[in-house]
Amino acid sequence: MIITKTPFRVSFCGGGSDMADFYREHEGCVLSTTINRYMYLMLHPYFDEHKTALKYSQNETVDDLMDIEHSIFRCVLNDMAVSGVEITSTADAPSGTGLGSSSSFTVGLLHTLYCYKGKYVSKERLASEACSVEIEKLGSPIGKQDQYAAAFGGLNFITFHKDDTVSVEPIIARAGTIKELQENLVMFYTGLTHDANKILAEQKKNISSEDKIRNLIEMCDLAREMKCALECNNLSDFGRILNEGWARKKELAGGISNPVIDGLYDTALKSGALGGKLLGAGGGGFLLFYCPKAKQEQLKNRIRLNSFDFRFEHDGSSVVYIGDKYWR
C-alpha cells in the first residue's frame, strides 16, 4: 500500500490574479498558507489486475480507464497508464468549501502514482502537472495558486509571471509573529457549499473589464503590502488588509457573496474581528477572520457557527507510507 497526504490551503490575499488572462498581462501574486487538514490517497494493487477500483464519494470499478466517471481520475490514470489498482480518497473537509480540495486531490493523485511507479518528482513538477491536468486538459476555469500551495506547503508569497512561470517564496518572519498570526485567525464553516467553477467562469469572463482589472491590480498591491507587514513582524495592519481585499474580491463576480454571508461578516466586525474573507471562489464554505484572542469568545458566541480549528503546516504533499512489495 502507498499512502499520501496533501494539505488544504488558506488564501489570504490576491486570489483571482492567478488566472492566465490576468497574470500574462499584469503579473499576479497571492499570499497563502497550507494548513494541517489534508486530502489522503491510498493505493494498492487490485485483486483483479484487469480492473481498476476507485473509492471517493462514489465507488467505481471499471475494465477500461476511459469509462471512469471522475474526470481527474480518468485523465491522470490514462495519462500515466496505471490500471489494475484500487485507490481510495478521504479528506478532512468536504469539497466545495474554499480550501482548494480539488487541486489538493490532483496533486496528491499525481504524487501517489509517481510513487507507485518508483519515480521521484519535484514539488514544482507536481504543481505544474496538476495545473496542466485541471486547466489545460480538463478546461476548469481556475488559476494556479491551489496546486502550488498544495505541492509546496508552508506560508508563501506566490508570484505568477507573465511567461507562465511561478515563483514560490516562503515568508520569513519571527516565530513569535507566525504564532500570533495563527492564534488570531478564526475559521467558521457556514454550512453552505458552492459551485466554484460557475463563479470562477464568470470571474474569468469579467477579467477583460477595466474595473475588474483595476480591482485585481489593487488586490495584488494588498498582497505585497501584507507580505511586507509579516516580514517586518508587524501584524497591526493584517486585519485591515484582509478587509480591504475582501471588499475588492466581492466586486469580481456575482455570487461571491450573498446576504447570509454579508450578515455574518458584519456581525463579526461588530464582535471584535478586524477583517476577514470567505475562502475560495465564494458563495459558501469557510469564513476566515482575523480577531485578537481576547475577543474571540465574543466572536464565537455571536456568530454561532461551528469553528474549524487548524494550524499552519510546512511540508506540502508528502508520502506517509510505502509498503514493501507494491513498487511497479
Side-chain angles (χ1 to χ4, degrees):
M1 179 178 287
I2 295 169
I3 304 174
T4 63
K5 67 175 185 179
T6 304
F8 295 147
R9 64 95 188 97
V10 168
S11 178
F12 294 120
C13 199
S17 71
D18 57 332
M19 290 188 174
D21 290 346
F22 177 81
Y23 70 68
R24 285 175 181 166
E25 293 293 329
H26 305 279
E27 191 169 271
C29 58
V30 169
L31 197 151
S32 69
T33 187
T34 47
I35 62 174
N36 62 341
R37 296 292 182 265
Y38 301 92
M39 175 70 66
Y40 296 91
L41 284 157
M42 293 157 277
L43 176 151
H44 65 85
Y46 196 47
F47 75 92
D48 184 343
E49 63 181 13
H50 301 294
K51 296 181 182 294
T52 300
L54 308 171
K55 298 179 180 180
Y56 48 105
S57 58
Q58 302 174 206
N59 289 343
E60 294 190 58
T61 303
V62 299
D63 298 304
D64 188 333
L65 294 178
M66 291 304 298
D67 292 334
I68 296 172
E69 293 182 12
H70 191 290
S71 60
I72 298 174
F73 266 133
R74 183 176 64 249
C75 181
V76 175
L77 287 171
N78 273 284
D79 283 353
M80 298 188 68
V82 174
S83 60
V85 295
E86 180 176 359
I87 305 176
T88 302
S89 73
T90 187
D92 287 331
S95 62
T97 53
L99 297 178
S101 59
S102 177
S103 295
S104 293
F105 175 85
T106 307
V107 169
L109 180 59
L110 287 165
H111 201 173
T112 302
L113 294 178
Y114 274 121
C115 185
Y116 178 59
K117 299 183 88 169
K119 295 182 179 180
Y120 167 79
V121 292
S122 67
K123 293 180 181 294
E124 165 64 35
R125 182 171 173 181
L126 285 176
S128 177
E129 291 191 6
C131 289
S132 177
V133 168
E134 294 188 274
I135 300 170
E136 298 171 18
K137 296 176 181 177
L138 297 178
S140 297
I142 61 175
K144 291 184 172 182
Q145 66 156 316
D146 293 354
Q147 300 86 347
Y148 277 83
F152 279 82
L155 176 62
N156 298 308
F157 186 78
I158 307 175
T159 304
F160 310 97
H161 300 288
K162 295 179 180 180
D163 62 358
D164 281 320
T165 59
V166 179
S167 299
V168 180
E169 180 183 355
I171 298 295
I172 307 300
R174 293 174 186 162
T177 301
I178 303 303
K179 181 176 183 291
E180 184 180 354
L181 174 61
Q182 291 184 95
E183 291 176 346
N184 288 348
L185 293 173
V186 185
M187 193 187 301
F188 297 98
Y189 181 49
T190 65
L192 304 172
T193 57
H194 63 264
D195 184 347
N197 282 353
K198 182 178 180 180
I199 296 171
L200 289 170
E202 181 184 347
Q203 184 175 318
K204 179 180 172 67
K205 181 180 179 181
N206 291 344
I207 285 178
S208 59
S209 170
E210 184 176 338
D211 61 325
K212 308 305 182 190
I213 292 173
R214 184 172 62 252
N215 267 18
L216 283 169
I217 291 173
E218 291 174 353
M219 289 168 68
C220 288
D221 289 340
L222 288 170
R224 296 184 186 99
E225 185 179 347
M226 184 177 281
K227 173 180 181 290
C228 289
L230 290 176
E231 292 182 335
C232 292
N233 301 291
N234 176 15
L235 289 176
S236 61
D237 286 337
F238 194 91
R240 174 188 61 81
I241 297 171
L242 270 183
N243 188 53
E244 291 182 12
W246 172 238
R248 286 163 175 77
K249 180 176 179 177
K250 288 195 295 182
E251 298 176 358
L252 295 177
I256 288 180
S257 190
N258 56 54
V260 174
I261 299 300
D262 289 341
L264 290 168
Y265 193 91
D266 289 343
T267 298
L269 293 186
K270 293 174 183 177
S271 304
L274 301 180
K277 60 173 295 189
L278 194 65
L279 298 178
F286 287 96
L287 267 169
L288 177 78
F289 294 105
Y290 183 85
C291 181
K293 285 185 67 177
K295 297 184 178 181
Q296 287 179 12
E297 184 176 355
Q298 174 178 269
L299 173 65
K300 292 177 180 179
N301 287 338
R302 292 185 179 176
I303 289 291
R304 303 183 71 176
L305 292 173
N306 290 331
S307 59
F308 186 74
D309 294 333
F310 68 94
R311 305 296 291 174
F312 295 172
E313 80 87 52
H314 309 285
D315 297 329
S317 187
S318 58
V319 178
V320 177
Y321 176 79
I322 302 176
D324 293 333
K325 61 180 181 178
Y326 293 127
W327 295 86
R328 170 165 287 191

